[in-house]
Every structure is written in structure tokens, then in C-alpha cells.
Amino acid sequence: SFDARGDTEQATIQSMQARMPSGTLDAKGNVRWAPVLEWNADTTLAGFDPGYFAPEFPGRIQGRIATRGKARADGGVDASFDAPSLRGTLRGRALDARAKVDLHGSDIDGDVAIAIGGSRASAKGRVGATLSVDARFEPLRLDDLLPGAGGVLRGTATLRGPRTTPDIAADLTGDGLHWGDWRAASLRANGSLPWRTGNGTLHVEASGIEAGLAIDHLVVDARGAMERL
């Protein structure tokens, strides 16, 4: 059901409700499309089932999502999305997640944490012309997040610097990893490598690899920087 008031330039959404056997989604807010697109909305999930929109992700979710945004003169968008607590079930797994994401044109600032099934993962930082990203997997079980995927990934990874030439640091272990046609029976990556300046060391070891080419065992010891290994 949908109830809105407005004119040819803007509307106030007094209520919008989607009802399903598991619960409801309720939203209200304002949207303006002239002279530029601009919006603010608050959505309450009370047993909402995302499987109605994404059949591979059935569930029952409780929480609140707030979003604000405005179109930019350069064609981009400045927007924010804040979900301080999303709880319930997703794909038959217990879910407890939070997310705060800000868009500034092509730049994204985010702070996301998710506990689902046996997985605990978080990521924080900026993705744009420059990268500043810290990710932690304690662990991440791929089948908790992605249908058709599997295996366990543990550890931390960091990216810093320009988007196409970032400095890399990792302390990761993975076992039984597979997603689509990509597989690795085991993976170990430890160390750091700058892209241009400085001296780093990175050790990578993997076995049982299927990535367009079958590799039984791979060991890489890299020193220096990506541009002068």
C-alpha cells in the first residue's frame, strides 16, 4: 500500500507498506525530482523477507534503514545509508549486522560488520580514486554469504593508495575455497608490498588451484615493491 501527497516536483510519502507472511516493510519520507533529485527516507523492517526480491536470499529481518541523498551537478550523487542494527535470519542462518555507507560521487566511505551463521567479518575505509580499506575475517565462511560458494577464510587485509596502484598488506589463510569456476584447496598469504616506494616482503602459498589454469602447488616469495620486484 502506498500513500503520498505532492505535485509535479516533489512528494511526501506518508506511508508505504509491503506486507508478507513473515512480517512487514514500512517506509516514509520525502522525494524531490525537480529542480534536482533529492530524498530522505526511513524504513522499518519487521520480519521482512528479502527473498521476495532476491530469491536466493530468503530470510526474516528486523531493523531500521535511514537514507538521505541529493544529485550532484557533475552527474553523481551524495548519499548516506545507515542501518545501525539488522537482526534475524538470512538463508537459514542467524544474522546480526550493521552498516553505515556514505557516497560522494565516485567515492564510498563505509563501516560494515556482519555476523551470519559461523562467519564474522568487517570492513572499514574509503574506496575511490584512492583506497584506504581494512578488512577482517574471523572467520568468513563463503557459503554463509554466497550461494554456491564454500570454504573458510581467516585473517586481515589492507589496501592503501591509488585505486589502480595500492599498497597491499595481508595476513590470510584459506581452506577449501571455491566460488564458481575458481578454487583453491589451501591459501596462505602473509606480509606487505608497497606499489612504488619502500621495501616489503610477501609470501604466498597455495595448492589445488583452479583459476582458468590448473596448478597443483604455488609458492611466491616477493620482495621490494610491485613496480620493482
Side-chain angles (χ1 to χ4, degrees):
S1 63
F2 183 76
D3 184 2
R5 301 287 186 274
D7 53 35
T8 58
E9 294 186 347
Q10 57 83 35
T12 296
I13 301 171
Q14 296 179 322
S15 71
M16 181 177 70
Q17 184 180 83
R19 184 177 296 278
M20 55 198 65
S22 60
T24 59
L25 176 152
D26 289 280
K28 61 182 180 179
N30 299 281
V31 60
R32 174 177 290 276
W33 47 89
V36 297
L37 177 65
E38 187 174 0
W39 76 89
N40 68 79
D42 291 285
T43 302
T44 299
L45 309 178
F48 173 69
D49 181 2
Y52 273 77
F53 302 94
E56 292 184 322
F57 293 89
R60 185 185 179 103
I61 299 176
Q62 316 280 342
R64 176 178 164 271
I65 302 172
T67 177
R68 308 284 186 271
K70 185 176 182 179
R72 295 159 51 114
D74 61 7
V77 173
D78 288 330
S80 66
F81 301 87
D82 187 13
S85 178
L86 297 175
R87 296 183 177 181
T89 61
L90 187 65
R91 297 181 60 241
R93 295 159 170 83
L95 171 70
D96 187 355
R98 61 171 175 80
K100 184 173 178 58
V101 178
D102 294 308
L103 307 180
H104 307 284
S106 61
D107 291 344
I108 303 173
D109 289 298
D111 185 356
V112 178
I114 183 169
I116 180 171
S119 297
R120 304 291 183 271
S122 62
K124 183 177 182 179
R126 165 168 286 207
V127 175
T130 61
L131 299 178
S132 178
V133 178
D134 295 283
R136 182 176 295 273
F137 313 105
E138 302 175 309
L140 174 63
R141 300 181 183 276
L142 297 188
D143 62 340
D144 283 338
L145 290 184
L146 301 169
V152 181
L153 185 66
R154 294 179 173 85
T156 61
T158 300
L159 298 174
R160 294 280 189 278
R163 185 201 294 261
T164 57
T165 58
D167 298 342
I168 301 168
D171 184 6
L172 295 171
T173 62
D175 294 288
L177 302 173
H178 63 89
W179 183 22
D181 295 331
W182 185 88
R183 295 177 180 273
S186 67
L187 170 69
R188 307 287 183 269
N190 181 265
S192 61
L193 273 182
W195 196 275
R196 288 194 173 94
T197 60
N199 289 295
T201 61
L202 181 66
H203 175 80
V204 178
E205 188 167 349
S207 64
I209 303 167
E210 291 283 350
L213 180 67
I215 300 174
D216 181 61
H217 194 68
L218 171 72
V219 178
V220 177
D221 282 295
R223 291 175 172 78
M226 293 293 288
E227 290 190 343
R228 47 176 187 80
L229 288 177

